[in-house]
Amino acid sequence: MAILGIMSAMHEELAAVLDAMPGKQRVGVAGRDFWVGHWQGQEVVAVLSRIGKVAAATTATALIERFGVDRLVFTGVAGGVGPGVRVGDVVLADSFVQHDMDASPLFARHEVPLYGRSRFDTHAELSRGLAAAAQQVLSQLGTHVGPQAVAEFGLHAPRLHMGLIASGDRFVSSAAECQTLQQALPEALAVEMEGAAVAQVCADYGVPFAALRTISDRADDDAHADFSRFVREVASRYSLAILSAWRLV
Ligand code: SAH
């Protein structure tokens, strides 16, 4: 039977998922707690990804090697870098790039050495299902997020975007850095710290992968403002609602 891996970037998101997994068992591997159980009748293993590319790659590898997951979904938050990608929007990755990968002049900028490419795609069919769930949740925002949070974070008609997400081992929190990133990767919609690593591990093992990020900031000088409140009040509500509405095929 298929086993789904759920990687959450934030404690609050994972807690919300675990609440909906009665009878789950904790298994400790590599200093991480993996939670084995069921999610809506499907066998799942849920785990905190940990922050940064290496930590997330270790978590993804353990999910595949030790727990035999044969598809993987990632949820977390990200900084919006593409035009019109606003706080409260959701970005579904169709591919990932490591914005801090640079082995030039030996290899082209962003190319992962010995892979012959810089982009790692997500799984089209898994992503389509997740997009439908996200669309549904965003259209009923008020059911999932309280009116105070809607007002505080200015969540007005949040949108779903699909495209390239850039990952790297930096929390991008200045307008200047964000601009440099936009210039280097004009099609990047969002920036975060784990996705490209997980996408690469999944490509290595041939495991279908889908990833979804709620935009928590604009990767500019205000990027740190109210981060934890946003994760608690908005992003973790979205993640739970989207995963619950997701119909796996
Ligand atoms: N205070 C948090 C740490 C967050 S680190 C904690 O204690 O858990 C930032 C996380 O949010 C990473 O998982 C990263 O993927 C994502 N992220 C959100 N906005 C980002 C930005 N502007 N730049 C890089 N990563 C960002």
Side-chain angles (χ1 to χ4, degrees), residues 2-20:
I3 306 174
L4 170 71
I6 300 178
M7 285 177 77
S8 310
M10 299 290 151
H11 282 285
E12 295 87 341
E13 283 178 312
L14 180 65
V17 168
L18 293 181
D19 276 350

Side-chain angles (χ1 to χ4, degrees), residues 176-199:
E177 201 184 338
C178 185
Q179 212 175 351
T180 307
L181 184 73
Q182 283 166 330
Q183 275 157 6
L185 293 164
E187 66 279 45
L189 296 176
V191 61
E192 39 85 311
M193 302 176 68
E194 298 85 16
V198 178

Side-chain angles (χ1 to χ4, degrees), residues 11-209:
H11 282 285
E12 295 87 341
E13 283 178 312
L14 180 65
V17 168
L18 293 181
D19 276 350
M21 285 174 59
K24 61 204 169 280
Q25 303 280 323
R26 188 189 72 82
V27 183
V29 175
R32 289 140 167 83
D33 289 335
F34 291 81
W35 297 93
V36 180
H38 290 86
W39 173 270
Q40 301 182 340
Q42 152 93 40
E43 263 189 75
V44 299
V45 184
V47 63
L48 194 66
S49 78
R50 306 281 209 102
I51 294 171
K53 290 185 297 178
V54 174
T58 299
T59 308
T61 306
L63 271 175
I64 295 167
E65 284 278 3
R66 295 287 288 264
F67 296 91
V69 308
D70 46 20
R71 42 194 169 169
L72 218 161
V73 63
F74 192 110
T75 68
V77 292
V81 295
V85 181
R86 303 185 314 158
V87 170
D89 285 359
V90 167
V91 176
L92 192 77
D94 69 5
S95 59
F96 281 98
V97 62
Q98 294 183 43
H99 66 77
D100 55 356
M101 174 59 77
D102 188 359
S104 59
L106 303 179
F107 297 89
R109 177 87 196 273
H110 301 128
E111 181 175 327
V112 181
L114 311 186
Y115 282 74
R117 60 187 163 131
S118 59
R119 311 288 163 99
F120 288 82
D121 292 341
T122 54
H123 191 263
E125 201 180 320
L126 272 189
S127 301
R128 257 197 303 279
L130 207 54
Q135 202 76 267
Q136 183 187 325
V137 167
L138 289 181
S139 67
Q140 305 162 344
L141 183 73
T143 335
H144 308 290
V145 179
Q148 228 178 325
V150 168
E152 180 180 341
F153 295 105
L155 307 179
H156 177 66
R159 290 176 51 203
L160 175 69
H161 309 263
M162 286 180 82
L164 179 70
I165 296 185
S167 313
D169 289 321
R170 294 184 63 80
F171 185 77
V172 178
S173 56
S174 77
E177 201 184 338
C178 185
Q179 212 175 351
T180 307
L181 184 73
Q182 283 166 330
Q183 275 157 6
L185 293 164
E187 66 279 45
L189 296 176
V191 61
E192 39 85 311
M193 302 176 68
E194 298 85 16
V198 178
Q200 188 174 329
V201 169
C202 286
D204 285 341
Y205 283 97
V207 168
F209 173 53

